[in-house]
Amino acid sequence: ETAWKRYSTILVSDAGGKLAPEPDPKADWVQHSVRVMGLIDNQVRSLRKRQLIGAYATGRRAGAYWGIRSDVAHYRVPDALPCPHGKTLRLAAVATRLEAMRPLLQKRLINWGYAVCDAAMRRHVDPTLAPPAGFPYPSAGVG
């Protein structure tokens, strides 16, 4: 909110989880309340993303949006780092947690974030930016 009010260029990196359908909702009020809060959060996130993309489209704001489930090919940057969408979707499915992560998985997540940020920035913010020489962790790739 503060950035929206204060700046005309907004860069958004969205690593938020995707709310999945729940075919068998919990019946107890505690777990049901948690689900309702998740639904509310999901709706707010969706609304803010639509507002942001709309502002980019009308020229009210400059900047770029990239998400953990984005397809790097949609940015149409010819020299984007190689990020097959199937592999990056598997990275997007990694649960957020506060415990240690396997080093290879962590490197792949960093590589993916780096690559999608680069593509979004060169497509929507400054097409004259030099392409990256490679991933931060070249031997890890994205999967």
Side-chain angles (χ1 to χ4, degrees), residues 17-142:
K18 185 176 182 180
L19 192 63
E22 192 170 326
D24 187 24
K26 307 296 183 234
D28 71 271
W29 68 271
V30 173
Q31 289 183 354
H32 188 69
S33 296
V34 169
R35 177 69 176 175
V36 168
M37 295 301 290
L39 289 168
I40 292 169
D41 177 66
N42 187 64
Q43 290 299 307
V44 171
R45 287 173 186 265
S46 295
L47 179 62
R48 286 188 179 217
K49 180 180 174 186
R50 283 193 304 275
Q51 177 188 23
L52 177 72
I53 301 301
Y56 291 156
T58 63
R60 287 182 297 145
R61 291 288 187 284
Y65 168 92
W66 58 92
I68 196 161
R69 280 176 296 286
S70 296
D71 183 348
V72 79
H74 290 167
Y75 291 100
R76 298 186 312 274
V77 176
D79 48 4
L81 291 167
C83 296
H85 194 53
K87 290 181 178 182
T88 61
L89 283 177
R90 284 193 289 280
L91 290 172
V94 172
T96 303
R97 59 197 177 281
L98 297 175
E99 63 188 30
M101 182 180 291
R102 292 185 341 260
L104 179 60
L105 179 58
Q106 183 174 6
K107 289 174 182 177
R108 286 178 174 168
L109 283 165
I110 290 168
N111 282 348
W112 169 226
Y114 181 82
V116 72
C117 174
D118 165 68
M121 293 293 291
R122 289 194 292 130
R123 175 66 184 183
H124 296 293
V125 177
D126 186 355
T128 67
L129 291 171
F135 288 115
Y137 297 100
S139 64
V142 293

